[in-house]
Amino acid sequence: MMRIEYICEKISNNIAQELNLDDDKRSVINYGIFAFIQMGICIVLVIVFGFIFNVVLESLIISFTISILRKSSGGVHASSPGRCAIIGTIASVGMGLISKHINVSFSLVILIGSIIFIWSYYIVSELAPVDSIAKPIKSIKKRNRLKKSSMVILSVYLIIVIINNLYFYFMKNSNVLVYSLCIYMGLLWQVFSLTKYGYLVMGKFK
Amino acid sequence: MKNRILMGIATVATIFASIVATSACYWSSYQPEEPKCLRDDE
């Protein structure tokens, strides 16, 4: 099987050669192409498997909840793009299935949500951003900016969940409760990946 | 024409790389080595 890195390397080498670019520019182009392709593959896999298991929307909500927060908060990483795509797909579709088929009352959704959000705010304020060896964050200014944006994203999720739950309370549309559960699960997964226990558990699949 | 297309791809890729560089990590849970010229060593 052709590795994504190899394909990206070939494309960026070709572009750099044709346009007479130096090695720095070639490595930036390679990094950008890889980011684009990896993101595309992850989203397509979630859509395909979500479609197979009839949880496309739920899986996409979970996947986007994880990834949007992840861009600011960081977290544990897989050792290869293939494993990352597999873990991400299984997690998003699996949690999508649970969210869709679990039967929970409105009061329990409120209770679970309150616990998850309080815990998330605490962990994000204490630990985010969690960097990696491949992309260390040394600048204090950048760390503060990323922590602040993580808190803002968390607050946006909270507002969406509150609107969802209010909509259910007045309109009795059970679909919106499922969407709230999807946001809870995505949040739980991403915030857990910031903790040392997240590193220990995810390390087993790395 | 070919150069224009390649220049377009290079521009989009560079913009994408810059966006990723300002965040904590990639979209997904794999993080490749970030190019040295994009790192902030403050």
Side-chain angles (χ1 to χ4, degrees):
Chain A
M1 195 178 82
M2 264 185 143
R3 289 163 62 97
I4 307 168
E5 297 105 311
Y6 177 75
I7 298 166
C8 296
E9 199 76 38
K10 288 275 270 184
I11 298 170
S12 56
N13 282 346
N14 194 9
I15 292 172
Q17 206 174 2
E18 290 286 334
L19 301 176
N20 284 324
L21 302 175
D22 61 28
D23 201 51
D24 272 353
K25 282 181 184 150
R26 188 204 57 79
S27 62
V28 171
I29 291 167
N30 181 48
Y31 192 64
I33 292 174
F34 185 87
F36 187 77
I37 294 178
Q38 175 73 3
M39 184 177 142
I41 289 173
C42 289
I43 294 173
V44 167
L45 277 176
V46 169
I47 292 172
V48 169
F49 282 91
F51 186 75
I52 292 169
F53 291 98
N54 197 26
V55 283
V56 180
L57 192 56
E58 290 81 359
S59 307
L60 280 175
I61 292 172
I62 292 168
S63 178
F64 276 76
T65 304
I66 295 170
S67 302
I68 293 169
L69 182 58
R70 185 173 192 85
K71 282 186 74 62
S72 301
S73 66
V76 65
H77 288 95
S79 57
S80 73
R83 283 185 187 195
C84 154
I86 293 167
I87 293 170
T89 308
I90 293 173
S92 302
V93 176
M95 289 191 286
L97 278 168
I98 295 170
S99 305
K100 194 171 185 178
H101 297 294
I102 199 169
N103 198 6
V104 284
S105 65
F106 179 62
S107 48
L108 194 59
V109 169
I110 301 286
L111 180 70
I112 294 169
S114 308
I115 294 167
I116 289 175
F117 271 98
I118 290 168
W119 181 69
S120 300
Y121 271 109
Y122 174 72
I123 296 292
V124 167
S125 67
E126 288 290 312
L127 303 176
V130 176
D131 58 359
S132 60
I133 301 163
K135 185 173 166 51
I137 307 166
K138 291 176 185 166
S139 154
I140 302 290
K141 200 176 156 192
K142 189 174 180 182
R143 293 194 79 87
N144 288 339
R145 182 177 58 78
L146 289 170
K147 188 189 282 288
K148 202 174 161 188
S149 35
S150 300
M151 297 299 270
V152 170
I153 292 166
L154 213 50
S155 304
V156 171
Y157 288 168
L158 179 63
I159 292 166
I160 295 170
V161 166
I162 290 171
I163 293 170
N164 256 352
N165 293 348
L166 282 174
Y167 186 80
F168 172 79
Y169 185 75
F170 291 110
M171 307 301 282
K172 302 292 173 207
N173 180 350
S174 60
N175 278 348
V176 291
L177 270 195
V178 173
Y179 303 148
S180 291
L181 282 174
C182 289
I183 294 174
Y184 294 167
M185 292 213 182
L187 197 54
L188 204 58
W189 175 273
Q190 173 52 26
V191 174
F192 182 64
S193 83
L194 301 177
T195 65
K196 62 177 178 182
Y197 299 106
Y199 266 81
L200 286 174
V201 173
M202 306 272 269
K204 306 234 182 269
F205 305 105
K206 271 169 92 174
Chain B
M1 186 61 187
K2 188 188 171 190
N3 271 17
R4 273 189 177 184
I5 294 168
L6 292 178
M7 188 64 88
I9 297 170
T11 309
V12 173
T14 307
I15 292 168
F16 219 79
S18 312
I19 294 168
V20 176
T22 57
S23 56
C25 66
Y26 259 31
W27 176 263
S28 50
S29 62
Y30 174 71
Q31 176 63 52
E33 185 90 24
E34 188 179 42
K36 282 200 177 76
C37 56
L38 288 177
R39 288 188 187 177
D40 47 354
D41 292 324
E42 284 174 55

Short mmCIF file of all heavy atoms in Angstrom, two decimals, chain A residues 88-119:
data_model
loop_
_atom_site.label_atom_id
_atom_site.label_comp_id
_atom_site.label_asym_id
_atom_site.label_seq_id
_atom_site.Cartn_x
_atom_site.Cartn_y
_atom_site.Cartn_z
N GLY A 88 -9.70 7.39 14.58
CA GLY A 88 -10.67 8.48 14.46
C GLY A 88 -12.00 8.00 13.92
O GLY A 88 -13.06 8.39 14.42
N THR A 89 -11.96 7.12 12.91
CA THR A 89 -13.19 6.61 12.31
C THR A 89 -13.96 5.72 13.30
O THR A 89 -15.17 5.89 13.48
CB THR A 89 -12.89 5.82 11.02
OG1 THR A 89 -12.08 6.62 10.18
CG2 THR A 89 -14.15 5.41 10.30
N ILE A 90 -13.22 4.78 13.93
CA ILE A 90 -13.88 3.88 14.89
C ILE A 90 -14.49 4.69 16.04
O ILE A 90 -15.64 4.46 16.44
CB ILE A 90 -12.88 2.82 15.44
CG1 ILE A 90 -12.47 1.86 14.31
CG2 ILE A 90 -13.49 2.04 16.60
CD1 ILE A 90 -11.38 0.88 14.68
N ALA A 91 -13.72 5.67 16.54
CA ALA A 91 -14.22 6.48 17.67
C ALA A 91 -15.47 7.27 17.27
O ALA A 91 -16.48 7.22 17.97
CB ALA A 91 -13.12 7.43 18.14
N SER A 92 -15.40 7.94 16.12
CA SER A 92 -16.54 8.79 15.71
C SER A 92 -17.78 7.96 15.41
O SER A 92 -18.88 8.28 15.88
CB SER A 92 -16.17 9.61 14.47
OG SER A 92 -15.06 10.39 14.73
N VAL A 93 -17.62 6.89 14.63
CA VAL A 93 -18.78 6.07 14.24
C VAL A 93 -19.30 5.30 15.46
O VAL A 93 -20.52 5.22 15.67
CB VAL A 93 -18.43 5.11 13.07
CG1 VAL A 93 -19.60 4.20 12.74
CG2 VAL A 93 -18.03 5.92 11.84
N GLY A 94 -18.37 4.77 16.27
CA GLY A 94 -18.77 4.01 17.47
C GLY A 94 -19.57 4.89 18.43
O GLY A 94 -20.65 4.50 18.89
N MET A 95 -19.05 6.07 18.70
CA MET A 95 -19.76 6.97 19.63
C MET A 95 -21.06 7.48 18.99
O MET A 95 -22.03 7.74 19.69
CB MET A 95 -18.85 8.13 20.03
CG MET A 95 -17.72 7.69 20.95
SD MET A 95 -16.79 9.03 21.71
CE MET A 95 -15.82 9.62 20.35
N GLY A 96 -21.06 7.61 17.66
CA GLY A 96 -22.28 8.00 16.95
C GLY A 96 -23.37 6.96 17.14
O GLY A 96 -24.53 7.29 17.39
N LEU A 97 -22.97 5.69 17.06
CA LEU A 97 -23.93 4.58 17.25
C LEU A 97 -24.48 4.59 18.67
O LEU A 97 -25.69 4.42 18.88
CB LEU A 97 -23.23 3.24 16.96
CG LEU A 97 -23.13 2.83 15.50
CD1 LEU A 97 -22.19 1.65 15.34
CD2 LEU A 97 -24.50 2.47 14.94
N ILE A 98 -23.59 4.79 19.64
CA ILE A 98 -24.02 4.81 21.04
C ILE A 98 -25.01 5.97 21.26
O ILE A 98 -26.07 5.80 21.84
CB ILE A 98 -22.81 4.94 22.00
CG1 ILE A 98 -21.91 3.70 21.90
CG2 ILE A 98 -23.27 5.14 23.45
CD1 ILE A 98 -20.57 3.83 22.61
N SER A 99 -24.63 7.16 20.74
CA SER A 99 -25.48 8.35 20.93
C SER A 99 -26.87 8.14 20.35
O SER A 99 -27.87 8.56 20.92
CB SER A 99 -24.86 9.58 20.26
OG SER A 99 -23.59 9.78 20.70
N LYS A 100 -26.90 7.48 19.18
CA LYS A 100 -28.19 7.31 18.49
C LYS A 100 -29.09 6.29 19.18
O LYS A 100 -30.31 6.45 19.20
CB LYS A 100 -27.94 6.89 17.04
CG LYS A 100 -29.18 7.02 16.18
CD LYS A 100 -28.87 6.82 14.73
CE LYS A 100 -30.11 7.08 13.89
NZ LYS A 100 -29.84 6.95 12.47
N HIS A 101 -28.47 5.23 19.73
CA HIS A 101 -29.29 4.12 20.24
C HIS A 101 -29.46 4.10 21.76
O HIS A 101 -30.27 3.34 22.27
CB HIS A 101 -28.72 2.80 19.74
CG HIS A 101 -28.78 2.69 18.24
ND1 HIS A 101 -29.96 2.63 17.55
CD2 HIS A 101 -27.81 2.71 17.30
CE1 HIS A 101 -29.71 2.58 16.25
NE2 HIS A 101 -28.41 2.63 16.06
N ILE A 102 -28.68 4.93 22.46
CA ILE A 102 -28.82 4.96 23.92
C ILE A 102 -30.13 5.67 24.29
O ILE A 102 -30.56 6.60 23.60
CB ILE A 102 -27.59 5.66 24.57
CG1 ILE A 102 -27.47 5.29 26.03
CG2 ILE A 102 -27.65 7.16 24.39
CD1 ILE A 102 -26.14 5.72 26.64
N ASN A 103 -30.75 5.18 25.34
CA ASN A 103 -32.04 5.75 25.74
C ASN A 103 -31.87 6.47 27.07
O ASN A 103 -31.81 5.84 28.11
CB ASN A 103 -33.08 4.62 25.84
CG ASN A 103 -34.48 5.16 25.82
OD1 ASN A 103 -34.69 6.37 25.63
ND2 ASN A 103 -35.46 4.30 26.04
N VAL A 104 -31.74 7.81 27.00
CA VAL A 104 -31.56 8.56 28.25
C VAL A 104 -32.63 9.64 28.38
O VAL A 104 -33.10 10.18 27.38
CB VAL A 104 -30.16 9.21 28.35
CG1 VAL A 104 -29.08 8.20 28.67
CG2 VAL A 104 -29.81 9.97 27.08
N SER A 105 -32.99 9.90 29.62
CA SER A 105 -34.03 10.92 29.86
C SER A 105 -33.43 12.32 29.74
O SER A 105 -32.21 12.50 29.80
CB SER A 105 -34.63 10.72 31.24
OG SER A 105 -33.63 10.96 32.20
N PHE A 106 -34.30 13.30 29.60
CA PHE A 106 -33.86 14.69 29.46
C PHE A 106 -33.06 15.15 30.69
O PHE A 106 -32.00 15.77 30.56
CB PHE A 106 -35.09 15.59 29.26
CG PHE A 106 -34.76 17.04 29.13
CD1 PHE A 106 -33.96 17.50 28.08
CD2 PHE A 106 -35.23 17.96 30.05
CE1 PHE A 106 -33.65 18.85 27.96
CE2 PHE A 106 -34.93 19.31 29.94
CZ PHE A 106 -34.13 19.75 28.89
N SER A 107 -33.55 14.77 31.89
CA SER A 107 -32.85 15.20 33.11
C SER A 107 -31.45 14.58 33.20
O SER A 107 -30.50 15.22 33.67
CB SER A 107 -33.67 14.87 34.35
OG SER A 107 -34.12 13.55 34.28
N LEU A 108 -31.33 13.34 32.72
CA LEU A 108 -30.02 12.68 32.74
C LEU A 108 -29.06 13.36 31.74
O LEU A 108 -27.87 13.52 32.03
CB LEU A 108 -30.17 11.18 32.40
CG LEU A 108 -28.96 10.30 32.70
CD1 LEU A 108 -28.58 10.35 34.17
CD2 LEU A 108 -29.20 8.86 32.27
N VAL A 109 -29.59 13.77 30.60
CA VAL A 109 -28.78 14.48 29.60
C VAL A 109 -28.23 15.78 30.21
O VAL A 109 -27.06 16.13 30.05
CB VAL A 109 -29.60 14.78 28.31
CG1 VAL A 109 -28.85 15.74 27.39
CG2 VAL A 109 -29.90 13.49 27.57
N ILE A 110 -29.09 16.49 30.95
CA ILE A 110 -28.67 17.74 31.61
C ILE A 110 -27.58 17.45 32.64
O ILE A 110 -26.56 18.13 32.70
CB ILE A 110 -29.88 18.44 32.31
CG1 ILE A 110 -30.98 18.76 31.28
CG2 ILE A 110 -29.43 19.68 33.08
CD1 ILE A 110 -30.71 19.90 30.36
N LEU A 111 -27.80 16.38 33.44
CA LEU A 111 -26.85 16.02 34.49
C LEU A 111 -25.50 15.63 33.89
O LEU A 111 -24.45 16.15 34.30
CB LEU A 111 -27.42 14.88 35.35
CG LEU A 111 -26.52 14.40 36.49
CD1 LEU A 111 -26.43 15.45 37.59
CD2 LEU A 111 -27.04 13.09 37.07
N ILE A 112 -25.54 14.72 32.90
CA ILE A 112 -24.29 14.27 32.26
C ILE A 112 -23.56 15.47 31.63
O ILE A 112 -22.35 15.63 31.80
CB ILE A 112 -24.58 13.21 31.15
CG1 ILE A 112 -25.16 11.92 31.76
CG2 ILE A 112 -23.31 12.86 30.38
CD1 ILE A 112 -25.72 10.95 30.73
N GLY A 113 -24.34 16.31 30.94
CA GLY A 113 -23.76 17.49 30.29
C GLY A 113 -23.08 18.41 31.28
O GLY A 113 -21.97 18.89 31.03
N SER A 114 -23.74 18.66 32.43
CA SER A 114 -23.16 19.54 33.43
C SER A 114 -21.82 19.00 33.93
O SER A 114 -20.84 19.74 34.02
CB SER A 114 -24.10 19.70 34.63
OG SER A 114 -25.37 20.07 34.17
N ILE A 115 -21.80 17.69 34.21
CA ILE A 115 -20.56 17.07 34.72
C ILE A 115 -19.45 17.17 33.65
O ILE A 115 -18.32 17.58 33.95
CB ILE A 115 -20.82 15.59 35.12
CG1 ILE A 115 -21.77 15.52 36.32
CG2 ILE A 115 -19.49 14.88 35.45
CD1 ILE A 115 -22.33 14.14 36.60
N ILE A 116 -19.79 16.81 32.41
CA ILE A 116 -18.79 16.82 31.33
C ILE A 116 -18.24 18.23 31.10
O ILE A 116 -17.02 18.42 30.97
CB ILE A 116 -19.37 16.22 30.02
CG1 ILE A 116 -19.55 14.71 30.18
CG2 ILE A 116 -18.45 16.52 28.83
CD1 ILE A 116 -20.23 14.02 29.01
N PHE A 117 -19.11 19.22 31.08
CA PHE A 117 -18.64 20.59 30.82
C PHE A 117 -17.79 21.14 31.97
O PHE A 117 -16.76 21.78 31.73
CB PHE A 117 -19.80 21.53 30.49
CG PHE A 117 -20.10 21.55 29.01
CD1 PHE A 117 -21.12 20.78 28.47
CD2 PHE A 117 -19.32 22.31 28.14
CE1 PHE A 117 -21.38 20.77 27.10
CE2 PHE A 117 -19.57 22.31 26.77
CZ PHE A 117 -20.59 21.54 26.25
N ILE A 118 -18.20 20.86 33.22
CA ILE A 118 -17.39 21.34 34.37
C ILE A 118 -16.01 20.70 34.30
O ILE A 118 -14.98 21.37 34.44
CB ILE A 118 -18.10 21.02 35.72
CG1 ILE A 118 -19.35 21.89 35.87
CG2 ILE A 118 -17.16 21.23 36.90
CD1 ILE A 118 -20.28 21.49 36.98
N TRP A 119 -15.97 19.39 34.07
CA TRP A 119 -14.69 18.66 33.97
C TRP A 119 -13.86 19.18 32.80
O TRP A 119 -12.65 19.40 32.93
CB TRP A 119 -15.00 17.16 33.81
CG TRP A 119 -13.78 16.30 33.72
CD1 TRP A 119 -12.88 16.04 34.71
CD2 TRP A 119 -13.33 15.58 32.56
NE1 TRP A 119 -11.90 15.19 34.23
CE2 TRP A 119 -12.16 14.90 32.94
CE3 TRP A 119 -13.81 15.43 31.26
CZ2 TRP A 119 -11.45 14.08 32.05
CZ3 TRP A 119 -13.11 14.62 30.38
CH2 TRP A 119 -11.95 13.95 30.77
#
